[in-house]
Amino acid sequence: MTDTESRLTIIEDGPISSVRFLDQNILEENSIQKIGAEISQLIDQASNPKLLIDFQNVEHLSSAALGTLISINNRIKEKGGQLRLVNINPQIYEVFAITKLDKLFKIYEDSEKACASFS
Amino acid sequence: MKQVTIASRASQARKAHDALMPEVAAAGYSGDSQFAIRLALDEALANAMFHGNGGDPAKRVLVEYEINDELVYIKIQDEGHGFNPKTIPDPTLEENLCKPNGRGIMLMKAYMSEVSFDDLGRCVTLIKNRNCKRPVASHPTQQD
């Protein structure tokens, strides 16, 4: 995989943009920056961004990846948008719980419940 | 003690993984322990490469390790100016939750049996005992 390839699958469904990671491990600084830039572009394009991030493939992530998610959340809030995280496996969820980021993010079991929660 | 030396580049972390993690698995550590060790190793390597060595690829990170039936011992040394780990604010405080940085050390401490800093912060030692129960299983309930 080259640095120019996308690390994400993006599906636009009406007002909701769904993003799924292609990598199982979201660890390397370069990949994290690229993911952050791609998602920021999506946020910038929407006036009231509704973003769903799907962690189905993710087995490992670093604090740098958490930092990027926080920046994404901050950006979305600035634009009056909404962010939902879904399909987080128990080991990864524990990372969110330990860092108390489970209080910051709205996390749902699956896409259906997350989509239904958008107002 | 075995050792591997890497340059301060993100892609080099894999070299340390490839040296350590198969040995951790072969020694029979549980999936949760492997997850914990990998997470702590990644955080310590990122700190050493990017905070310690400032991302300067000419500066090296030395990883020394021993994996046996009782514990996994990892010592990571950088060539930077060091830091005082006590000055890192608690990232779980309400006022820090929206800040994107500062979670690496707390994650290492949450997942490993022991984490200690030496050489003015340029060296971190991570120990995971085989019977380590950290992190305490929280089995949180996701929103639904």
Side-chain angles (χ1 to χ4, degrees):
Chain A
M1 185 179 283
T2 67
D3 280 348
T4 54
E5 285 181 66
S6 174
R7 270 14 191 211
L8 303 169
T9 303
I10 300 168
I11 299 170
E12 307 272 2
D13 183 9
I16 300 170
S17 298
S18 297
V19 169
R20 182 175 289 183
F21 299 105
L22 294 177
D23 298 332
Q24 289 184 326
N25 303 321
I26 308 176
L27 301 168
E28 284 189 13
E29 196 68 28
N30 299 344
S31 308
I32 292 167
Q33 281 178 12
K34 185 159 176 47
I35 286 168
E38 276 191 74
I39 294 178
S40 293
Q41 229 175 5
L42 279 179
I43 297 167
D44 291 345
Q45 286 164 1
S47 55
N48 178 23
K50 294 181 179 177
L51 182 68
L52 185 152
I53 302 182
D54 189 332
F55 283 74
Q56 185 165 312
N57 300 325
V58 178
E59 294 180 0
H60 289 275
L61 90 177
S62 64
S63 65
L66 293 177
T68 294
L69 287 172
I70 291 167
S71 298
I72 288 166
N73 192 45
N74 292 342
R75 251 182 124 99
I76 288 177
K77 276 187 178 168
E78 280 167 16
K79 291 195 78 172
Q82 299 166 64
L83 173 66
R84 305 288 186 260
L85 310 184
V86 299
N87 286 327
I88 299 179
N89 81 34
Q91 283 179 328
I92 301 281
Y93 192 90
E94 192 141 45
V95 176
F96 280 87
I98 285 166
T99 51
K100 298 200 176 163
L101 293 176
D102 58 331
K103 311 284 180 222
L104 185 71
F105 293 109
K106 293 193 182 305
I107 300 174
Y108 290 83
E109 282 176 19
D110 56 48
S111 303
E112 202 178 323
K113 286 173 181 166
C115 285
S117 76
F118 282 113
S119 54
Chain B
M1 190 90 69
K2 294 182 180 178
Q3 58 176 246
V4 55
T5 303
I6 61 174
S8 298
R9 280 197 204 96
S11 57
Q12 290 277 297
R14 193 167 296 163
K15 204 170 146 187
H17 292 158
D18 290 349
L20 270 90
M21 295 314 297
E23 283 200 40
V24 172
Y29 284 85
S30 68
D32 282 345
S33 286
Q34 290 180 50
F35 178 88
I37 292 161
R38 179 159 185 180
L39 185 146
L41 175 62
D42 278 320
E43 296 301 335
L45 288 172
N47 280 352
M49 291 190 290
F50 302 114
H51 297 299
N53 288 347
D56 178 353
K59 290 186 176 174
R60 304 273 157 176
V61 175
L62 172 64
V63 182
E64 295 178 286
Y65 62 98
E66 184 178 335
I67 297 156
N68 60 41
D69 285 345
E70 281 83 43
L71 57 83
V72 173
Y73 173 99
I74 306 169
K75 187 173 162 186
I76 295 173
Q77 175 84 46
D78 67 54
E79 298 178 336
H81 298 297
F83 77 110
N84 180 358
K86 289 179 183 161
T87 61
I88 306 294
D90 181 352
T92 64
L93 294 177
E94 184 80 29
E95 65 263 32
N96 294 331
L97 278 185
C98 288
K99 294 179 182 167
N101 301 314
R103 290 175 179 79
I105 292 173
M106 79 86 60
L107 281 172
M108 285 186 244
K109 288 182 174 172
Y111 279 88
M112 300 301 275
S113 306
E114 290 177 43
V115 177
S116 56
F117 291 89
D118 298 293
D119 191 20
L120 301 173
R122 285 182 285 255
C123 178
V124 61
T125 301
L126 309 170
I127 296 173
K128 182 78 169 174
N129 296 319
R130 184 180 287 274
N131 61 2
C132 177
K133 302 293 182 212
R134 309 188 109 204
V136 176
S138 51
H139 300 295
T141 307
Q142 298 185 22
Q143 293 175 26
D144 56 21

